[in-house]
Amino acid sequence: MSLPSFPIRIAMAATLLGCSLAAAQSGDRLPGFELERLETNIGRGTLLVGNGELLVPTGLNVSLLGHYQRLPLVLRDGETNLEIVQDRATALVSASYGILPWLEVGAQLPIVLFQKGENPSGVGLTELTAQGLGTPVIQARLGVLSRRRRQPVDLAADLGVGLPFGTGSALAGDNGLRYHARMTAGMELGWLQPSLEAGVLFRPNVLLPTSNSDMETREGASTEVRIGAALATTGKGLRGELGLRATFANPKPSVELLGGIRFPLVPGLEAFFLGGPGFGSALGTPLYRVLTGISFRSEPPPKISFLDERADQELQLVLATPPSTSGEEPVRPVAAWELNALGRGEARAADDAASPAPPKPHQPSPQEKVVLRGELHFARGSAELPGVVPLLDQAVLRMSEHANTGRILIEGHSDKDSADSFMSVRRAQAIRRYLIDQGVPATQVRIQGFGSDWPVSAQPATEQERQLNRRAEVLVITDPPSLSPR
């Protein structure tokens, strides 16, 4: 054995995972292990780091990613470098599906499309296979906290397993099962969305040689600690994201930094392009990598909850059938409530002369299309909303589908026994604040208060009938492009 070959064989044995020293000395093939260090985020969040947010039930996210790596595996002995893998191109198919509000499942399948490197026959090893199947991963994401429930952050736990079906001769599969567990969290700060991730990866044991003899071995670390951070911009158009992921394992850590953009193609489909360098000499850490791909997301609006009005006197959520505005419907004959009310004397004189016709709730024109209509019911003297309002979450999703032509109308109403004449406006304002907090532009939300002029029950005899009058009607309307509000 020539002198330069001996230290390279020692380095090879020290870095290849999941193999014994005898396998490295056999010289007939490369021992199998999973070279890839990049685990993309399945579901919502940036490409590298999840943001703790789950898909709504029956929501689906599918992505197809391709990426290129430069020099992901180089063996060094201080004098000579052996570039086992110089260029590597892989594809990654991933999908996630919302099962329950707190449960999402996902899977990803990597495929090695092409790779090449220097011939390792000089150290007694055959060349690696150019193509192969990577380690398939299945995962469950469990929601812990959610901003949809008016909590400050999104927080989720990911539990996953990597199946031992990869092609070891292509450096694409471990010799046994691998597991990961991590926590992901995210929130929104204006137009920025930061997210964090921390977890561990358990993989098959590693056998490392000692420094004084290639015949002595000791057990190496089989657990990797992984942390990551990301920062992304929000919005519906062009968005940017920057992600950092660090891996701490025995003997050497590695860090990768990726930045890039996302942009929509058609509703539900977007493309992305990212790239960046890798730092560290751990196996699988490339000099740099470039990623590009597309992702498709389809999420239905959250289902409207129908609450028993006897069981919950604070909020009633029902589908609204707008009251008829024909002259045959009895309406309590009182003066219209107006934001700029007349003085007492003027109001009395006006009432004595003739009561003006009260302003009517909005009636969509033939050019307008109502894509959502619903009602929120309130307790007496209250404008408070609960933490979760499915109707309003549904309105937010509808607006995301009609960002350019949609608008939301909120019409507040009160009963005749309300002690606060401004209660109908306060209820509309509470809903408006909720929608704006969820990302709906303020210019696309309009409110109006009607007081008690348009009751559902003109002569309520029970508390349940009076509660029907304490309501706010929510309409999501789309206009033709030429008529959309500016």
Side-chain angles (χ1 to χ4, degrees), residues 46 78 89 150 369 441:
T46 66
R150 308 295 289 170
K369 179 181 178 182

Side-chain angles (χ1 to χ4, degrees), residues 188-267:
E188 286 191 6
L189 299 175
W191 55 277
L192 293 176
Q193 186 176 55
S195 52
L196 297 172
E197 172 182 301
V200 293
L201 173 69
F202 302 92
R203 60 191 305 175
N205 291 336
V206 180
L207 295 178
L208 302 176
T210 60
S211 59
N212 57 5
S213 173
D214 61 350
M215 299 302 295
E216 297 180 14
T217 63
R218 60 180 174 83
E219 186 174 357
S222 60
T223 299
E224 296 180 358
V225 178
R226 297 183 170 185
I227 61 173
L231 188 64
T233 60
T234 60
K236 303 300 180 183
L238 181 67
R239 308 189 306 280
E241 65 180 60
L242 181 66
L244 175 71
R245 172 172 283 179
T247 301
F248 299 92
N250 188 15
K252 298 175 181 179
S254 66
V255 177
E256 287 197 56
L257 178 66
L258 295 180
I261 58 173
R262 290 177 179 261
F263 51 92
L265 300 175
V266 296

Side-chain angles (χ1 to χ4, degrees), residues 128-355:
L128 72 162
T129 305
Q131 293 89 25
L133 177 69
T135 300
V137 176
I138 56 176
Q139 171 183 296
R141 177 166 289 173
L142 309 177
V144 180
L145 300 176
S146 174
R147 289 182 295 119
R148 293 175 186 161
R149 298 194 295 268
R150 308 295 289 170
Q151 291 167 333
V153 299
D154 291 306
L155 180 65
D158 295 351
L159 303 174
V161 57
L163 306 178
F165 298 144
T167 306
S169 60
L171 302 183
D174 287 323
N175 292 329
L177 292 173
R178 57 189 296 175
Y179 308 91
H180 74 255
R182 58 174 170 255
M183 299 294 295
T184 61
M187 62 184 300
E188 286 191 6
L189 299 175
W191 55 277
L192 293 176
Q193 186 176 55
S195 52
L196 297 172
E197 172 182 301
V200 293
L201 173 69
F202 302 92
R203 60 191 305 175
N205 291 336
V206 180
L207 295 178
L208 302 176
T210 60
S211 59
N212 57 5
S213 173
D214 61 350
M215 299 302 295
E216 297 180 14
T217 63
R218 60 180 174 83
E219 186 174 357
S222 60
T223 299
E224 296 180 358
V225 178
R226 297 183 170 185
I227 61 173
L231 188 64
T233 60
T234 60
K236 303 300 180 183
L238 181 67
R239 308 189 306 280
E241 65 180 60
L242 181 66
L244 175 71
R245 172 172 283 179
T247 301
F248 299 92
N250 188 15
K252 298 175 181 179
S254 66
V255 177
E256 287 197 56
L257 178 66
L258 295 180
I261 58 173
R262 290 177 179 261
F263 51 92
L265 300 175
V266 296
L269 184 68
E270 65 178 13
F272 54 84
F273 178 86
L274 298 94
F279 305 94
S281 57
L283 75 164
T285 305
L287 182 64
Y288 63 86
R289 75 170 79 229
V290 179
L291 306 96
T292 185
I294 57 174
S295 64
F296 172 77
R297 180 179 300 163
S298 174
E299 286 186 281
K303 294 182 179 180
I304 297 180
S305 300
F306 294 87
L307 306 179
D308 183 356
E309 64 183 40
R310 294 183 179 180
D312 191 337
Q313 297 296 322
E314 298 263 336
L315 170 70
Q316 292 299 310
L317 185 57
V318 297
L319 285 176
T321 301
S324 173
T325 57
S326 64
E328 298 178 358
E329 182 178 0
V331 179
R332 188 166 66 90
V334 296
W337 182 91
E338 298 178 351
L339 189 59
N340 296 321
L342 297 174
R344 293 185 179 179
E346 295 174 327
R348 188 181 301 110
D351 288 341
D352 292 342
S355 296

